[in-house]
Structures are given as C-alpha cells and as structure tokens.
Amino acid sequence: GVGNILTGSVRRSPQVVRISAQLVGGADGVEHWAQSYDRAPGDEIKIQSDIALNVAQALSGTLGHAGKVALSLGGSANSVAQDLVLQARRLIGQADGPDAMRSALVLIDKAITKDPNYADAYVEKT
C-alpha cells in the first residue's frame, strides 16, 4: 500500500564510494528515478543530502511542496552535526553504563549547538 519505494546499493573501493539509488512505484514497480553517485570516502553525508534532494525533486509532481518539506524534516545540512548524532547513536547502542550515556548526551548537545534546528538531535536527547 505504499506509494513509492526507495532502493539502492553501496559499493566501496579505497578511492571511491558508489551509491546507486532508485525510486520505484509501490503499486506498479515502475522506476520513476535512478541515479548513481561516485564520491570520495568520507563524503557520505553529502551523498545522503544529494539523494534526499533528488528524490524530493522526483516526487515533487506527486507530493507538491508539503511533501518535499516532509522529506527533509528532522534532518540537518550540517555534516558535523549529523556526524555527532551518529556518534551519539553508536554510543547509545553500545551503552554499558551511565558514563557512555553522558558522553552521548554531550555529543548530542554539540550537534544542537552546530544546528539548533536539527530535530533528530532533539529526538535522540529524549
């Protein structure tokens, strides 16, 4: 019962990260959009932002402005803030005591300082 499905694959070499993404219709399986990204390792946040923007553009005819806004809600364009939240999530997932949780909260607070509108960081803090 979904409208669209985003699928993809990731391949890595020491010099390149290749991400292929496809947007297909949920009802008919017809491909609406596809693109590959070749980037240097360490640029994954930029690739993620590019994919989200391109998917939003591909869906814009169907979703309109409200749909594009909904696709980007919660995220951040600040790669440092995103990295801090990812580090905090890893600590939370491996938490072996209160010190790990305190360290995760410090990282989340730093992310919020970098991007005060980063809703996902606030979610992690709760």
Side-chain angles (χ1 to χ4, degrees):
V2 298
N4 294 285
I5 301 166
L6 181 64
T7 65
S9 63
V10 178
R11 289 186 277 170
R12 291 178 178 260
S13 74
Q15 298 83 18
V16 176
V17 174
R18 174 172 288 160
I19 298 178
S20 299
Q22 302 83 32
L23 183 68
V24 296
D28 55 15
V30 173
E31 185 177 277
H32 297 287
W33 168 86
Q35 191 160 345
S36 292
Y37 301 83
D38 290 339
R39 300 285 164 74
D43 202 15
E44 289 83 359
I45 300 297
K46 175 75 169 113
I47 297 170
Q48 178 184 350
S49 298
D50 289 349
I51 292 171
L53 178 63
N54 286 319
V55 169
Q57 289 173 344
L59 290 171
S60 65
T62 305
L63 297 178
H65 177 71
K68 285 194 282 188
V69 170
L71 282 175
S72 63
L73 280 177
S76 174
N78 186 311
S79 62
V80 173
Q82 289 180 340
D83 188 51
L84 289 166
V85 168
L86 291 174
Q87 290 176 43
R89 285 179 181 160
R90 187 182 70 233
L91 280 174
I92 292 167
Q94 300 171 348
D96 57 358
D99 289 338
M101 293 303 289
R102 279 192 284 275
S103 296
L105 286 173
V106 168
L107 292 171
I108 292 168
D109 286 338
K110 286 181 182 179
I112 291 169
T113 300
K114 295 283 183 190
D115 183 354
N117 297 315
Y118 190 4
D120 286 347
Y122 290 98
V123 168
E124 291 296 328
K125 193 170 180 168
T126 58

Short mmCIF file of all heavy atoms in Angstrom, two decimals, residues 65-98:
data_model
loop_
_atom_site.label_atom_id
_atom_site.label_comp_id
_atom_site.label_asym_id
_atom_site.label_seq_id
_atom_site.Cartn_x
_atom_site.Cartn_y
_atom_site.Cartn_z
N HIS A 65 4.74 20.84 -2.59
CA HIS A 65 5.65 21.48 -1.64
C HIS A 65 5.61 20.82 -0.27
O HIS A 65 6.65 20.59 0.34
CB HIS A 65 5.32 22.97 -1.51
CG HIS A 65 6.16 23.68 -0.50
ND1 HIS A 65 7.50 23.94 -0.71
CD2 HIS A 65 5.86 24.15 0.73
CE1 HIS A 65 7.99 24.55 0.35
NE2 HIS A 65 7.02 24.70 1.23
N ALA A 66 4.45 20.49 0.24
CA ALA A 66 4.34 19.89 1.57
C ALA A 66 5.09 18.57 1.65
O ALA A 66 5.72 18.25 2.65
CB ALA A 66 2.87 19.69 1.94
N GLY A 67 5.05 17.80 0.58
CA GLY A 67 5.76 16.53 0.56
C GLY A 67 7.26 16.71 0.57
O GLY A 67 7.98 15.97 1.25
N LYS A 68 7.75 17.71 -0.17
CA LYS A 68 9.20 17.96 -0.16
C LYS A 68 9.66 18.40 1.22
O LYS A 68 10.71 18.00 1.69
CB LYS A 68 9.55 19.02 -1.21
CG LYS A 68 9.51 18.49 -2.62
CD LYS A 68 10.17 19.42 -3.59
CE LYS A 68 9.28 20.59 -3.92
NZ LYS A 68 9.80 21.44 -4.98
N VAL A 69 8.88 19.23 1.88
CA VAL A 69 9.22 19.66 3.23
C VAL A 69 9.23 18.47 4.17
O VAL A 69 10.14 18.30 4.98
CB VAL A 69 8.24 20.75 3.72
CG1 VAL A 69 8.44 21.03 5.20
CG2 VAL A 69 8.43 22.02 2.91
N ALA A 70 8.25 17.59 4.06
CA ALA A 70 8.17 16.42 4.93
C ALA A 70 9.37 15.49 4.75
O ALA A 70 9.85 14.90 5.70
CB ALA A 70 6.87 15.65 4.69
N LEU A 71 9.87 15.38 3.51
CA LEU A 71 11.03 14.53 3.26
C LEU A 71 12.27 15.03 3.96
O LEU A 71 13.15 14.26 4.33
CB LEU A 71 11.31 14.42 1.75
CG LEU A 71 10.41 13.50 0.97
CD1 LEU A 71 10.73 13.62 -0.51
CD2 LEU A 71 10.56 12.07 1.42
N SER A 72 12.37 16.34 4.15
CA SER A 72 13.58 16.89 4.75
C SER A 72 13.43 17.18 6.23
O SER A 72 14.39 17.57 6.88
CB SER A 72 13.99 18.17 4.01
OG SER A 72 12.98 19.14 4.14
N LEU A 73 12.25 17.02 6.81
CA LEU A 73 12.06 17.31 8.22
C LEU A 73 12.96 16.46 9.10
O LEU A 73 13.14 15.28 8.86
CB LEU A 73 10.59 17.05 8.62
CG LEU A 73 9.60 18.13 8.27
CD1 LEU A 73 8.19 17.70 8.65
CD2 LEU A 73 9.94 19.45 8.92
N GLY A 74 13.48 17.07 10.12
CA GLY A 74 14.27 16.35 11.09
C GLY A 74 15.74 16.32 10.78
O GLY A 74 16.56 16.15 11.66
N GLY A 75 16.11 16.50 9.54
CA GLY A 75 17.50 16.40 9.15
C GLY A 75 18.27 17.68 9.32
O GLY A 75 17.75 18.69 9.80
N SER A 76 19.52 17.62 8.94
CA SER A 76 20.40 18.78 9.03
C SER A 76 21.29 18.80 7.80
O SER A 76 21.75 17.76 7.34
CB SER A 76 21.27 18.69 10.29
OG SER A 76 22.21 19.73 10.30
N ALA A 77 21.56 19.98 7.30
CA ALA A 77 22.52 20.13 6.21
C ALA A 77 23.93 20.26 6.75
O ALA A 77 24.88 20.28 6.00
CB ALA A 77 22.16 21.36 5.38
N ASN A 78 24.06 20.34 8.08
CA ASN A 78 25.37 20.48 8.71
C ASN A 78 25.97 19.09 8.93
O ASN A 78 25.52 18.33 9.78
CB ASN A 78 25.21 21.23 10.04
CG ASN A 78 26.53 21.53 10.68
OD1 ASN A 78 27.39 20.66 10.81
ND2 ASN A 78 26.69 22.77 11.11
N SER A 79 27.00 18.77 8.15
CA SER A 79 27.58 17.42 8.22
C SER A 79 28.24 17.14 9.57
O SER A 79 28.25 16.01 10.03
CB SER A 79 28.57 17.19 7.08
OG SER A 79 29.65 18.10 7.18
N VAL A 80 28.77 18.16 10.22
CA VAL A 80 29.39 17.96 11.54
C VAL A 80 28.31 17.58 12.55
O VAL A 80 28.49 16.65 13.34
CB VAL A 80 30.16 19.22 11.98
CG1 VAL A 80 30.66 19.08 13.41
CG2 VAL A 80 31.31 19.51 11.03
N ALA A 81 27.17 18.27 12.50
CA ALA A 81 26.08 17.95 13.42
C ALA A 81 25.57 16.53 13.16
O ALA A 81 25.31 15.78 14.12
CB ALA A 81 24.94 18.96 13.27
N GLN A 82 25.44 16.14 11.91
CA GLN A 82 24.99 14.79 11.59
C GLN A 82 25.97 13.75 12.11
O GLN A 82 25.58 12.73 12.67
CB GLN A 82 24.80 14.62 10.08
CG GLN A 82 23.62 15.37 9.55
CD GLN A 82 23.44 15.20 8.05
OE1 GLN A 82 24.37 14.83 7.34
NE2 GLN A 82 22.24 15.48 7.57
N ASP A 83 27.26 14.02 11.94
CA ASP A 83 28.27 13.08 12.41
C ASP A 83 28.22 12.94 13.93
O ASP A 83 28.34 11.83 14.47
CB ASP A 83 29.65 13.54 11.95
CG ASP A 83 30.72 12.50 12.25
OD1 ASP A 83 30.52 11.32 11.88
OD2 ASP A 83 31.75 12.86 12.85
N LEU A 84 28.02 14.05 14.63
CA LEU A 84 27.93 14.00 16.09
C LEU A 84 26.75 13.14 16.55
O LEU A 84 26.87 12.35 17.49
CB LEU A 84 27.83 15.42 16.66
CG LEU A 84 29.10 16.25 16.57
CD1 LEU A 84 28.79 17.73 16.82
CD2 LEU A 84 30.16 15.74 17.53
N VAL A 85 25.62 13.28 15.87
CA VAL A 85 24.45 12.47 16.23
C VAL A 85 24.70 10.99 15.94
O VAL A 85 24.33 10.12 16.74
CB VAL A 85 23.17 12.99 15.52
CG1 VAL A 85 22.03 11.99 15.65
CG2 VAL A 85 22.76 14.33 16.10
N LEU A 86 25.35 10.70 14.82
CA LEU A 86 25.66 9.30 14.51
C LEU A 86 26.61 8.71 15.55
O LEU A 86 26.44 7.55 15.97
CB LEU A 86 26.27 9.19 13.12
CG LEU A 86 25.32 9.49 11.96
CD1 LEU A 86 26.07 9.50 10.64
CD2 LEU A 86 24.17 8.49 11.93
N GLN A 87 27.59 9.48 16.00
CA GLN A 87 28.49 9.01 17.06
C GLN A 87 27.71 8.76 18.35
O GLN A 87 27.94 7.76 19.04
CB GLN A 87 29.59 10.04 17.32
CG GLN A 87 30.60 10.16 16.20
CD GLN A 87 31.60 11.27 16.49
OE1 GLN A 87 32.09 11.39 17.60
NE2 GLN A 87 31.89 12.08 15.49
N ALA A 88 26.79 9.67 18.67
CA ALA A 88 25.97 9.50 19.88
C ALA A 88 25.10 8.25 19.78
O ALA A 88 24.99 7.50 20.76
CB ALA A 88 25.10 10.74 20.09
N ARG A 89 24.52 8.01 18.63
CA ARG A 89 23.69 6.81 18.45
C ARG A 89 24.51 5.54 18.66
O ARG A 89 24.03 4.58 19.25
CB ARG A 89 23.05 6.79 17.06
CG ARG A 89 21.91 7.76 16.90
CD ARG A 89 21.34 7.72 15.51
NE ARG A 89 20.26 8.67 15.38
CZ ARG A 89 19.82 9.15 14.23
NH1 ARG A 89 20.37 8.76 13.09
NH2 ARG A 89 18.83 10.02 14.20
N ARG A 90 25.75 5.55 18.16
CA ARG A 90 26.61 4.39 18.35
C ARG A 90 26.89 4.17 19.84
O ARG A 90 26.82 3.05 20.33
CB ARG A 90 27.91 4.55 17.57
CG ARG A 90 28.76 3.27 17.61
CD ARG A 90 30.08 3.40 16.90
NE ARG A 90 30.93 4.30 17.66
CZ ARG A 90 31.55 5.37 17.17
NH1 ARG A 90 31.42 5.68 15.90
NH2 ARG A 90 32.30 6.12 17.92
N LEU A 91 27.17 5.26 20.55
CA LEU A 91 27.42 5.14 21.99
C LEU A 91 26.18 4.62 22.73
O LEU A 91 26.29 3.78 23.62
CB LEU A 91 27.83 6.49 22.58
CG LEU A 91 29.26 6.91 22.39
CD1 LEU A 91 29.48 8.33 22.91
CD2 LEU A 91 30.20 5.95 23.10
N ILE A 92 25.03 5.13 22.35
CA ILE A 92 23.79 4.70 22.99
C ILE A 92 23.54 3.22 22.73
O ILE A 92 23.15 2.47 23.62
CB ILE A 92 22.60 5.57 22.51
CG1 ILE A 92 22.75 7.00 23.05
CG2 ILE A 92 21.27 4.95 22.94
CD1 ILE A 92 21.82 8.01 22.40
N GLY A 93 23.80 2.79 21.50
CA GLY A 93 23.60 1.38 21.15
C GLY A 93 24.55 0.45 21.85
O GLY A 93 24.22 -0.71 22.11
N GLN A 94 25.72 0.95 22.21
CA GLN A 94 26.71 0.13 22.88
C GLN A 94 26.83 0.49 24.36
O GLN A 94 27.78 0.06 25.02
CB GLN A 94 28.08 0.33 22.22
CG GLN A 94 28.11 -0.05 20.77
CD GLN A 94 29.42 0.36 20.10
OE1 GLN A 94 30.21 1.12 20.64
NE2 GLN A 94 29.62 -0.14 18.89
N ALA A 95 25.90 1.28 24.86
CA ALA A 95 25.98 1.81 26.23
C ALA A 95 26.17 0.70 27.24
O ALA A 95 25.41 -0.26 27.29
CB ALA A 95 24.73 2.62 26.56
N ASP A 96 27.23 0.86 28.02
CA ASP A 96 27.50 -0.12 29.06
C ASP A 96 27.47 0.52 30.44
O ASP A 96 27.98 -0.02 31.40
CB ASP A 96 28.84 -0.82 28.82
CG ASP A 96 29.99 0.17 28.73
OD1 ASP A 96 29.76 1.39 28.80
OD2 ASP A 96 31.14 -0.29 28.58
N GLY A 97 26.87 1.67 30.53
CA GLY A 97 26.75 2.33 31.82
C GLY A 97 26.44 3.81 31.65
O GLY A 97 26.33 4.32 30.53
N PRO A 98 26.30 4.49 32.77
CA PRO A 98 25.92 5.91 32.72
C PRO A 98 26.97 6.81 32.06
O PRO A 98 26.62 7.83 31.48
CB PRO A 98 25.70 6.28 34.18
CG PRO A 98 26.31 5.20 35.00
CD PRO A 98 26.39 3.99 34.12
#
